[in-house]
Amino acid sequence: MTVLSVLDLSPVPEGSSAGDALRNSAGLARHVEALGYRRFWMAEHHNMPGIASAATAVALAHVATHTSSIRLGAGGIMLPNHAPLIIAEQFGTLAALHPGRIDLGLGRAPGTDQNTMRALRRNLGTGPDEFPRDVVELMEYFKPAAPGQAIQAVPGAGLEMEFWILGSSTYGAQLAAMLGLPYAFASHFAPQQMMEAIAVYRERFRPVGELQKPHVMLGCGVFAADTDAEARLLFSSQQQAFVNLRTGRPGKLPRPVEGYEESLDPYAQRVLSGSLSCSFVGSRETVRRQLAEFIARTGADELMVTAQIHDPEARKRSFTMLAEVHAEMDAVPAGA
Protein backbone atom coordinates (compact mmCIF):
# COMPACT_ATOMS: atom_id res chain seq x y z
CA MET A 1 0.00 0.00 0.00
CA THR A 2 1.20 3.50 -0.82
CA VAL A 3 2.66 5.23 2.25
CA LEU A 4 1.52 8.68 3.41
CA SER A 5 3.83 11.49 4.50
CA VAL A 6 3.37 15.23 5.07
CA LEU A 7 4.94 18.30 3.48
CA ASP A 8 4.38 21.34 5.68
CA LEU A 9 5.24 24.75 4.24
CA SER A 10 4.52 26.29 7.64
CA PRO A 11 1.86 28.58 6.14
CA VAL A 12 1.34 32.00 7.71
CA PRO A 13 -2.41 32.65 7.52
CA GLU A 14 -3.75 36.18 7.27
CA GLY A 15 -4.20 37.50 10.80
CA SER A 16 -1.29 35.51 12.25
CA SER A 17 2.52 35.67 12.50
CA ALA A 18 5.47 33.53 11.44
CA GLY A 19 5.87 32.47 15.07
CA ASP A 20 2.27 31.28 15.09
CA ALA A 21 2.94 29.33 11.88
CA LEU A 22 5.98 27.55 13.31
CA ARG A 23 4.09 26.66 16.49
CA ASN A 24 1.27 25.33 14.32
CA SER A 25 3.81 23.24 12.42
CA ALA A 26 4.96 21.59 15.64
CA GLY A 27 1.37 20.88 16.57
CA LEU A 28 0.65 19.42 13.16
CA ALA A 29 3.75 17.21 13.37
CA ARG A 30 2.57 15.77 16.68
CA HIS A 31 -0.88 15.23 15.19
CA VAL A 32 0.23 13.35 12.07
CA GLU A 33 2.79 11.35 14.05
CA ALA A 34 -0.08 9.99 16.13
CA LEU A 35 -2.00 9.22 12.93
CA GLY A 36 0.84 7.07 11.57
CA TYR A 37 2.23 9.25 8.78
CA ARG A 38 5.79 8.22 7.93
CA ARG A 39 7.55 11.56 7.38
CA PHE A 40 7.14 15.23 8.14
CA TRP A 41 9.06 17.46 5.75
CA MET A 42 9.50 21.22 5.56
CA ALA A 43 10.68 23.20 2.54
CA GLU A 44 13.06 26.07 1.90
CA HIS A 45 11.41 29.18 0.47
CA HIS A 46 12.62 32.76 0.72
CA ASN A 47 11.03 36.22 0.56
CA MET A 48 7.53 34.74 0.83
CA PRO A 49 5.42 36.30 3.59
CA GLY A 50 3.11 33.29 3.63
CA ILE A 51 5.78 30.64 4.30
CA ALA A 52 7.74 30.50 7.57
CA SER A 53 10.19 27.65 6.85
CA ALA A 54 13.01 29.61 5.19
CA ALA A 55 15.55 28.53 7.84
CA THR A 56 14.57 24.92 7.23
CA ALA A 57 17.05 23.18 9.51
CA VAL A 58 16.13 25.51 12.39
CA ALA A 59 12.42 24.93 11.81
CA LEU A 60 12.97 21.17 11.77
CA ALA A 61 14.92 21.35 15.02
CA HIS A 62 11.89 23.05 16.58
CA VAL A 63 9.55 20.35 15.28
CA ALA A 64 11.90 17.58 16.38
CA THR A 65 11.67 18.63 20.03
CA HIS A 66 7.88 18.18 19.86
CA THR A 67 7.90 14.70 18.25
CA SER A 68 9.48 11.36 19.04
CA SER A 69 9.24 8.89 16.17
CA ILE A 70 8.13 10.40 12.84
CA ARG A 71 10.91 10.91 10.31
CA LEU A 72 11.78 14.56 9.74
CA GLY A 73 13.41 16.17 6.77
CA ALA A 74 13.72 18.82 4.13
CA GLY A 75 11.56 18.71 1.09
CA GLY A 76 13.71 20.32 0.21
CA ILE A 77 16.91 22.21 0.67
CA MET A 78 17.65 24.25 -2.45
CA LEU A 79 21.29 23.27 -2.67
CA PRO A 80 22.46 25.94 -5.16
CA ASN A 81 21.76 28.49 -2.40
CA HIS A 82 24.29 26.90 -0.03
CA ALA A 83 27.76 25.48 0.30
CA PRO A 84 27.41 21.68 0.68
CA LEU A 85 29.54 21.72 3.84
CA ILE A 86 27.12 24.11 5.58
CA ILE A 87 24.16 21.84 4.84
CA ALA A 88 26.17 18.80 5.95
CA GLU A 89 26.87 20.48 9.29
CA GLN A 90 23.25 21.63 9.76
CA PHE A 91 21.70 18.28 8.99
CA GLY A 92 24.54 16.43 10.66
CA THR A 93 23.58 18.30 13.82
CA LEU A 94 19.96 17.20 13.41
CA ALA A 95 21.08 13.61 12.80
CA ALA A 96 23.30 13.68 15.88
CA LEU A 97 20.43 14.91 18.04
CA HIS A 98 17.76 12.68 16.48
CA PRO A 99 19.50 9.56 15.16
CA GLY A 100 17.70 7.49 12.55
CA ARG A 101 15.00 10.11 11.93
CA ILE A 102 16.45 12.66 9.50
CA ASP A 103 15.92 12.89 5.72
CA LEU A 104 17.57 15.36 3.38
CA GLY A 105 15.73 16.12 0.15
CA LEU A 106 17.72 18.22 -2.32
CA GLY A 107 16.47 20.46 -5.11
CA ARG A 108 18.17 22.69 -7.66
CA ALA A 109 15.57 25.48 -7.93
CA PRO A 110 16.22 28.75 -6.06
CA GLY A 111 13.00 28.56 -4.05
CA THR A 112 12.52 32.28 -4.54
CA ASP A 113 12.65 35.17 -7.02
CA GLN A 114 15.74 36.28 -8.96
CA ASN A 115 16.58 39.27 -6.75
CA THR A 116 16.38 37.21 -3.57
CA MET A 117 18.44 34.49 -5.21
CA ARG A 118 21.21 37.03 -5.78
CA ALA A 119 21.00 38.12 -2.16
CA LEU A 120 21.35 34.50 -1.04
CA ARG A 121 24.22 33.63 -3.36
CA ARG A 122 27.08 35.98 -2.65
CA ASN A 123 29.15 34.01 -5.15
CA LEU A 124 27.09 34.12 -8.33
CA GLY A 125 29.51 31.71 -10.00
CA THR A 126 27.57 28.87 -8.42
CA GLY A 127 24.24 27.76 -9.79
CA PRO A 128 21.91 24.91 -10.65
CA ASP A 129 24.23 23.52 -13.33
CA GLU A 130 26.63 22.46 -10.57
CA PHE A 131 23.87 20.68 -8.70
CA PRO A 132 24.99 17.06 -9.37
CA ARG A 133 28.52 17.79 -8.20
CA ASP A 134 27.24 19.53 -5.08
CA VAL A 135 24.96 16.58 -4.27
CA VAL A 136 27.85 14.14 -4.48
CA GLU A 137 30.07 16.41 -2.37
CA LEU A 138 27.35 16.68 0.27
CA MET A 139 26.85 12.93 0.39
CA GLU A 140 30.60 12.42 0.83
CA TYR A 141 30.57 14.51 4.00
CA PHE A 142 28.36 11.91 5.69
CA LYS A 143 30.75 9.04 5.04
CA PRO A 144 33.15 8.13 7.88
CA ALA A 145 36.11 10.49 7.80
CA ALA A 146 39.27 8.99 6.33
CA PRO A 147 42.63 9.32 8.14
CA GLY A 148 44.12 12.69 7.32
CA GLN A 149 40.93 13.99 5.67
CA ALA A 150 41.38 17.75 5.40
CA ILE A 151 37.71 18.80 5.68
CA GLN A 152 35.10 17.05 7.78
CA ALA A 153 31.48 17.79 8.62
CA VAL A 154 31.26 17.87 12.41
CA PRO A 155 28.62 16.73 13.23
CA GLY A 156 27.91 14.79 10.06
CA ALA A 157 30.74 12.43 9.23
CA GLY A 158 29.70 8.83 9.81
CA LEU A 159 26.09 9.64 10.67
CA GLU A 160 23.03 8.10 9.06
CA MET A 161 21.30 10.31 6.52
CA GLU A 162 18.59 9.40 4.01
CA PHE A 163 19.09 11.44 0.84
CA TRP A 164 16.39 12.24 -1.72
CA ILE A 165 16.44 14.05 -5.04
CA LEU A 166 13.55 16.43 -5.64
CA GLY A 167 12.37 17.71 -8.98
CA SER A 168 9.60 18.89 -11.26
CA SER A 169 11.12 17.69 -14.55
CA THR A 170 13.04 14.74 -15.94
CA TYR A 171 16.36 16.31 -14.88
CA GLY A 172 15.97 15.30 -11.25
CA ALA A 173 14.59 11.92 -12.28
CA GLN A 174 17.74 11.15 -14.26
CA LEU A 175 20.03 12.26 -11.43
CA ALA A 176 18.15 10.26 -8.79
CA ALA A 177 18.26 7.18 -11.02
CA MET A 178 21.99 7.56 -11.67
CA LEU A 179 22.80 7.98 -7.96
CA GLY A 180 20.42 5.21 -6.86
CA LEU A 181 18.45 7.56 -4.62
CA PRO A 182 14.71 7.85 -3.93
CA TYR A 183 12.94 10.49 -6.01
CA ALA A 184 10.28 13.00 -4.98
CA PHE A 185 8.33 14.82 -7.70
CA ALA A 186 6.68 18.20 -7.05
CA SER A 187 3.36 17.26 -8.60
CA HIS A 188 1.49 19.24 -5.95
CA PHE A 189 2.22 22.44 -7.91
CA ALA A 190 3.98 21.42 -11.16
CA PRO A 191 2.47 18.15 -12.42
CA GLN A 192 3.04 18.66 -16.14
CA GLN A 193 5.97 16.20 -16.53
CA MET A 194 4.99 13.86 -13.71
CA MET A 195 4.31 10.69 -15.69
CA GLU A 196 7.34 11.19 -17.96
CA ALA A 197 9.63 11.79 -14.96
CA ILE A 198 8.34 8.68 -13.18
CA ALA A 199 8.99 6.58 -16.27
CA VAL A 200 12.51 7.96 -16.75
CA TYR A 201 13.40 7.36 -13.11
CA ARG A 202 12.10 3.80 -13.01
CA GLU A 203 13.67 2.83 -16.33
CA ARG A 204 17.12 4.23 -15.53
CA PHE A 205 17.40 3.48 -11.82
CA ARG A 206 20.68 1.83 -10.76
CA PRO A 207 20.96 0.24 -7.29
CA VAL A 208 24.35 1.69 -6.36
CA GLY A 209 23.67 2.12 -2.62
CA GLU A 210 21.30 0.79 0.01
CA LEU A 211 18.19 1.36 -2.11
CA GLN A 212 17.72 -1.75 -4.24
CA LYS A 213 14.74 -0.64 -6.30
CA PRO A 214 13.27 2.71 -7.36
CA HIS A 215 11.14 4.55 -4.84
CA VAL A 216 8.81 7.30 -6.11
CA MET A 217 7.20 9.88 -3.87
CA LEU A 218 4.62 12.23 -5.40
CA GLY A 219 3.43 15.51 -3.96
CA CYS A 220 -0.29 16.17 -3.75
CA GLY A 221 -2.65 18.52 -2.02
CA VAL A 222 -5.45 17.22 0.18
CA PHE A 223 -8.40 19.33 1.26
CA ALA A 224 -10.85 17.03 2.99
CA ALA A 225 -13.96 18.08 4.89
CA ASP A 226 -17.40 16.78 5.77
CA THR A 227 -18.87 17.94 2.43
CA ASP A 228 -17.53 18.65 -1.04
CA ALA A 229 -18.64 22.28 -0.72
CA GLU A 230 -16.78 22.79 2.54
CA ALA A 231 -13.64 21.21 1.08
CA ARG A 232 -13.78 23.49 -1.98
CA LEU A 233 -14.04 26.47 0.33
CA LEU A 234 -10.93 25.35 2.22
CA PHE A 235 -9.14 24.85 -1.10
CA SER A 236 -9.80 28.46 -2.10
CA SER A 237 -7.03 29.68 0.23
CA GLN A 238 -4.45 27.64 -1.69
CA GLN A 239 -5.92 28.79 -5.00
CA GLN A 240 -5.69 32.43 -4.01
CA ALA A 241 -2.13 32.04 -2.73
CA PHE A 242 -1.06 30.38 -5.99
CA VAL A 243 -2.60 33.08 -8.17
CA ASN A 244 -1.11 35.82 -5.98
CA LEU A 245 2.35 34.27 -6.26
CA ARG A 246 2.11 33.81 -10.03
CA THR A 247 1.03 37.43 -10.49
CA GLY A 248 3.85 38.85 -8.38
CA ARG A 249 1.78 39.53 -5.25
CA PRO A 250 2.96 36.97 -2.68
CA GLY A 251 1.42 37.41 0.75
CA LYS A 252 0.09 35.55 3.74
CA LEU A 253 -2.27 32.62 3.19
CA PRO A 254 -5.64 34.21 2.40
CA ARG A 255 -8.89 33.47 4.16
CA PRO A 256 -11.19 31.16 2.17
CA VAL A 257 -13.59 32.79 -0.29
CA GLU A 258 -16.82 31.34 -1.68
CA GLY A 259 -16.80 30.93 -5.46
CA TYR A 260 -13.19 32.07 -5.90
CA GLU A 261 -12.32 29.89 -8.89
CA GLU A 262 -15.52 30.84 -10.69
CA SER A 263 -14.59 34.53 -10.30
CA LEU A 264 -11.42 34.12 -12.37
CA ASP A 265 -11.18 34.56 -16.13
CA PRO A 266 -11.03 31.34 -18.22
CA TYR A 267 -7.26 31.57 -18.78
CA ALA A 268 -6.54 31.92 -15.05
CA GLN A 269 -8.90 29.04 -14.34
CA ARG A 270 -6.98 26.80 -16.76
CA VAL A 271 -3.61 27.76 -15.28
CA LEU A 272 -4.89 27.16 -11.77
CA SER A 273 -6.56 23.83 -12.49
CA GLY A 274 -3.53 22.58 -14.42
CA SER A 275 -0.98 23.49 -11.76
CA LEU A 276 -3.08 22.17 -8.86
CA SER A 277 -4.55 19.17 -10.67
CA CYS A 278 -2.90 16.73 -8.24
CA SER A 279 -5.15 17.86 -5.43
CA PHE A 280 -7.79 15.77 -3.71
CA VAL A 281 -10.66 18.05 -2.74
CA GLY A 282 -13.91 16.89 -1.21
CA SER A 283 -15.73 14.80 1.31
CA ARG A 284 -14.44 11.50 2.64
CA GLU A 285 -15.91 9.52 -0.27
CA THR A 286 -14.72 12.01 -2.89
CA VAL A 287 -11.18 11.97 -1.51
CA ARG A 288 -11.23 8.17 -1.35
CA ARG A 289 -12.10 7.98 -5.05
CA GLN A 290 -9.55 10.61 -6.08
CA LEU A 291 -6.82 9.00 -3.99
CA ALA A 292 -7.48 5.52 -5.43
CA GLU A 293 -7.48 6.84 -9.00
CA PHE A 294 -4.22 8.74 -8.48
CA ILE A 295 -2.41 5.76 -6.95
CA ALA A 296 -3.68 3.45 -9.70
CA ARG A 297 -2.51 5.87 -12.40
CA THR A 298 0.95 6.55 -11.00
CA GLY A 299 1.87 3.49 -8.94
CA ALA A 300 3.37 5.87 -6.37
CA ASP A 301 5.30 4.22 -3.55
CA GLU A 302 4.64 7.20 -1.28
CA LEU A 303 2.53 10.35 -1.27
CA MET A 304 3.84 13.57 0.24
CA VAL A 305 0.67 15.38 1.20
CA THR A 306 0.40 19.12 1.71
CA ALA A 307 -2.55 21.27 2.73
CA GLN A 308 -2.43 25.07 2.61
CA ILE A 309 -5.53 25.56 4.75
CA HIS A 310 -6.14 28.84 6.57
CA ASP A 311 -7.55 27.34 9.77
CA PRO A 312 -4.95 25.15 11.55
CA GLU A 313 -7.66 22.98 13.09
CA ALA A 314 -9.33 22.40 9.72
CA ARG A 315 -5.90 21.46 8.38
CA LYS A 316 -5.48 18.85 11.10
CA ARG A 317 -8.95 17.53 10.37
CA SER A 318 -8.11 17.17 6.67
CA PHE A 319 -5.04 15.08 7.49
CA THR A 320 -7.10 12.99 9.92
CA MET A 321 -9.73 12.23 7.29
CA LEU A 322 -7.08 11.28 4.75
CA ALA A 323 -5.41 8.91 7.22
CA GLU A 324 -8.76 7.28 7.97
CA VAL A 325 -9.60 6.88 4.27
CA HIS A 326 -6.14 5.46 3.61
CA ALA A 327 -6.47 2.94 6.46
CA GLU A 328 -9.86 1.83 5.14
CA MET A 329 -8.42 1.35 1.65
CA ASP A 330 -5.51 -0.63 3.09
CA ALA A 331 -7.96 -2.94 4.88
CA VAL A 332 -9.82 -3.84 1.67
CA PRO A 333 -8.37 -6.96 -0.05
CA ALA A 334 -6.92 -6.37 -3.51
CA GLY A 335 -9.56 -6.75 -6.19
CA ALA A 336 -12.43 -6.43 -3.73
Side-chain angles (χ1 to χ4, degrees):
M1 188 65 183
T2 302
V3 173
L4 295 182
S5 294
V6 171
L7 171 63
D8 177 37
L9 300 181
S10 201
V12 186
E14 289 180 348
S16 67
S17 68
D20 294 329
L22 291 165
R23 285 184 284 273
N24 288 336
S25 290
L28 179 63
R30 285 195 303 270
H31 183 72
V32 299
E33 180 178 67
L35 290 171
Y37 284 79
R38 176 175 289 182
R39 309 175 201 275
F40 187 91
W41 281 8
M42 304 181 82
E44 176 189 351
H45 293 279
H46 300 280
N47 197 31
M48 294 185 184
I51 297 177
S53 54
T56 314
V58 179
L60 287 168
H62 168 65
V63 170
T65 62
H66 291 82
T67 57
S68 59
S69 58
I70 193 170
R71 293 193 67 91
L72 303 171
I77 289 295
M78 302 298 104
L79 195 50
N81 295 340
H82 311 280
L85 178 59
I86 293 295
I87 300 304
E89 291 172 341
Q90 290 177 0
F91 279 79
T93 299
L94 288 171
L97 291 169
H98 308 282
R101 293 181 61 198
I102 305 301
D103 303 331
L104 181 47
L106 302 168
R108 70 183 185 114
T112 188
D113 58 88
Q114 292 296 312
N115 289 332
T116 307
M117 180 188 74
R118 294 187 181 94
L120 285 165
R121 300 177 189 174
R122 294 303 183 184
N123 176 10
L124 296 182
T126 62
D129 292 340
E130 299 184 25
F131 179 63
R133 186 185 67 184
D134 287 346
V135 170
V136 172
E137 179 183 340
L138 176 55
M139 293 174 65
E140 288 291 321
Y141 285 125
F142 282 89
K143 294 180 179 180
Q149 183 172 323
I151 301 174
Q152 299 181 30
V154 183
L159 296 180
E160 177 188 342
M161 180 62 57
E162 185 170 309
F163 292 95
W164 290 71
I165 298 297
L166 280 56
S168 58
S169 69
T170 58
Y171 181 97
Q174 294 177 66
L175 180 60
M178 180 181 69
L179 296 176
L181 295 176
Y183 178 54
F185 188 86
S187 38
H188 58 295
F189 72 90
Q192 290 78 9
Q193 296 188 55
M194 177 180 69
M195 297 306 295
E196 181 182 1
I198 292 172
V200 166
Y201 171 66
R202 287 176 172 156
E203 290 168 1
R204 302 187 184 185
F205 179 83
R206 297 188 305 156
V208 296
E210 293 184 4
L211 189 65
Q212 293 302 301
K213 61 181 181 178
H215 186 95
V216 173
M217 176 193 289
L218 301 178
C220 58
V222 174
F223 302 81
D226 290 334
T227 67
D228 287 353
E230 183 184 352
R232 287 194 296 270
L233 181 61
L234 296 178
F235 187 37
S236 69
S237 293
Q238 168 71 88
Q239 293 174 312
Q240 293 174 76
F242 189 84
V243 170
N244 291 344
L245 180 62
R246 286 294 180 92
T247 54
R249 299 178 291 114
K252 292 185 176 182
L253 185 66
R255 292 178 172 85
V257 173
E258 292 276 6
Y260 174 73
E261 187 172 357
E262 292 76 9
S263 72
L264 300 173
D265 62 72
Y267 173 76
Q269 289 181 8
R270 289 194 297 272
V271 171
L272 191 62
S273 62
S275 297
L276 302 181
S277 62
C278 294
S279 298
F280 314 141
V281 184
S283 65
R284 183 185 303 270
E285 289 307 313
T286 300
V287 167
R288 183 200 308 274
R289 173 178 52 80
Q290 294 170 339
L291 178 64
E293 291 173 353
F294 186 77
I295 292 173
R297 178 162 64 97
T298 63
D301 301 295
E302 193 165 345
L303 296 183
M304 179 60 72
V305 183
T306 188
Q308 296 288 82
I309 294 175
H310 186 272
D311 178 5
E313 293 306 312
R315 184 166 64 142
K316 288 181 180 178
R317 176 62 178 152
S318 181
F319 282 116
T320 298
M321 293 180 70
L322 177 65
E324 291 170 350
V325 166
H326 180 265
E328 292 165 2
M329 292 171 58
D330 198 15
V332 175

